Amino acid sequence: MRLSPGLFLTALLPTASAHGRITNITTPTGTVYQGWDPATPQAQLQDLTAWRAANLGNVYVPPSQFNTSNITCHFNSTPGALHIPTAPGDVLRVQWNEWPASHKGPVLTYLATCAGSCAGADKETLDWVKIDEVGWLNSSGADVLPLGGTWATDVLRANGASWMVKVPEALVDGSYVLRHEIIALHVAEEVDGAQAYPQCVNLKVSGGGGKDAKKLEGGVVGEKLYGVRDKGVLVNIHGNVTGYEIPGPRVWEHATRFKQPNE
Ligand SMILES: *[C@@H]1O[C@H](CO)[C@@H](O)[C@H](O)[C@H]1NC(C)=O
Ligand SMILES: *[C@@H]1O[C@H](CO)[C@@H](O)[C@H](O)[C@H]1NC(C)=O
Ligand SMILES: *[C@@H]1O[C@H](CO)[C@@H](O)[C@H](O)[C@H]1NC(C)=O
Ligand SMILES: *[C@@H]1O[C@H](CO)[C@@H](O)[C@H](O)[C@H]1NC(C)=O
Ligand SMILES: *[C@@H]1O[C@H](CO)[C@@H](O)[C@H](O)[C@H]1NC(C)=O
Ligand SMILES: [Cu+2]
């Protein structure tokens, strides 16, 4: 949590000392898969579908790390050992522990194909294809200081800090890493001020595989996703924002996104 002087009121809120992480993911059948909790004691570590990372305190990855694999699945990440079984068209509910109101910004979701099991995936070479993105929505609430306007993070908050992610209907069966991310922009007007909160989990997609099923293509490695000075990374969102360019590659042409409740 870094706050500009104008945000001192927000700093008094209980959420100010905490950031965010995914606590669990629920499939359409109601099966709940635990996220990675960086505070887990060594002796209690279990195999998870979620990737592990050195994100104690639910901290963020700063733009000065965007040119390293730390932006892929958070600091010093290692793959989850397991996979969430799912199917094309499934809508997964991704639950964050919390999300502070001040941390406005886009919510983005990517997939990368694993060659075989994702338990052995190499974060340096995974090619990420964006399947969903929402950024700035409108200037409703622009007069509510210190940061105005309605953003994807406000939608996430309105849904109990959760986001629905649809496995693309056209996706070919296989093993994939899902990379779900929030970028907080409350101090993004400073170089290196944006805050990325990437979280990864493994999926095993089956039950699709029709003749029109599509492989992911055109992906980019983590360290090529964003630049320190991208328009959507080095950006001032104080005041009445009238637009926003979401960073990263274009959304996959075969993605079928799910419109969030309250969106
Ligand atoms: C990554 O970018 C930062 C500045 O944002 C720079 O200091 C650092 O040298 C770069 N690292 C690599 C590996 O290019
Ligand atoms: C990732 O971040 C950690 C902690 O800041 C650092 O020690 C490590 O060198 C970084 N990894 C890469 C690939 O730059
Ligand atoms: C899922 O995460 C939420 C938010 O942290 C928590 O309230 C809920 O108990 C979790 N559910 C399970 C089954 O772990
Ligand atoms: C924000 O800008 C929009 C578009 O120019 C305008 O309609 C709206 O009234 C402004 N809101 C505030 C609070 O200034
Ligand atoms: C702004 O966006 C939010 C979320 O989509 C929506 O609930 C609200 O009605 C929108 N406001 C306006 C004025 O369009
Ligand atoms: Cu924070």
Side-chain angles (χ1 to χ4, degrees):
M1 174 81 56
R2 286 175 65 220
L3 296 168
S4 61
L7 287 173
F8 65 94
L9 280 175
T10 318
L12 299 176
L13 297 176
T15 53
S17 61
H19 305 256
R21 66 180 171 88
I22 291 173
T23 49
N24 51 62
I25 295 183
T26 308
T27 66
T29 56
T31 307
V32 182
Y33 293 86
Q34 295 301 318
W36 161 245
D37 181 350
T40 308
Q42 188 73 25
Q44 287 170 29
L45 287 177
Q46 296 174 359
D47 284 351
L48 294 173
T49 64
W51 284 48
R52 294 181 186 173
N55 59 323
L56 192 63
N58 305 331
V59 295
Y60 59 88
V61 179
S64 52
Q65 292 283 329
F66 287 5
N67 55 3
T68 78
S69 59
N70 279 329
I71 190 58
T72 302
C73 296
H74 223 304
F75 287 119
N76 297 335
S77 64
T78 54
L82 309 177
H83 296 70
I84 297 178
T86 184
D90 274 0
V91 178
L92 306 173
R93 182 171 187 274
V94 178
Q95 177 69 54
W96 290 74
N97 62 325
E98 62 177 358
W99 197 255
S102 63
H103 286 36
K104 289 179 184 273
V107 177
L108 315 98
T109 308
Y110 298 80
L111 287 176
T113 307
C114 299
S117 165
C118 294
D122 176 6
K123 65 190 174 187
E124 305 283 348
T125 59
L126 286 171
D127 283 326
W128 299 100
V129 173
K130 197 188 266 172
I131 59 163
D132 182 31
E133 62 176 12
V134 178
W136 174 83
L137 288 157
N138 59 53
S139 57
S140 170
D143 48 347
V144 182
L145 296 176
L147 289 167
T150 303
W151 290 78
T153 48
D154 295 302
V155 173
L156 179 132
R157 279 170 52 80
N159 294 323
S162 72
W163 197 263
M164 309 300 279
V165 172
K166 187 169 192 176
V167 179
E169 279 155 9
L171 187 64
V172 72
D173 287 356
S175 298
Y176 298 91
V177 184
L178 177 85
R179 178 180 183 277
H180 184 68
E181 177 182 43
I182 305 176
I183 304 178
L185 302 172
H186 50 295
V187 281
E189 70 277 13
E190 298 171 14
V191 174
D192 208 26
Q195 307 182 348
Y197 297 83
Q199 302 273 284
C200 291
V201 61
N202 297 332
L203 306 181
K204 174 87 177 154
V205 177
S206 62
K211 65 175 169 49
D212 295 328
K214 301 284 191 297
K215 286 184 179 169
L216 292 178
E217 52 195 27
V220 293
V221 294
E223 60 194 74
K224 295 278 193 294
L225 285 173
Y226 313 126
V228 174
R229 293 177 181 275
D230 285 1
K231 279 185 185 168
V233 171
L234 181 58
V235 59
N236 187 344
I237 67 156
H238 298 260
N240 193 354
V241 175
T242 53
Y244 174 69
E245 191 174 302
I246 300 173
R250 295 179 48 183
V251 173
W252 192 38
E253 59 177 325
H254 303 297
T256 39
R257 76 172 300 265
F258 183 87
K259 192 176 191 314
Q260 308 298 309
N262 302 301
E263 182 176 332

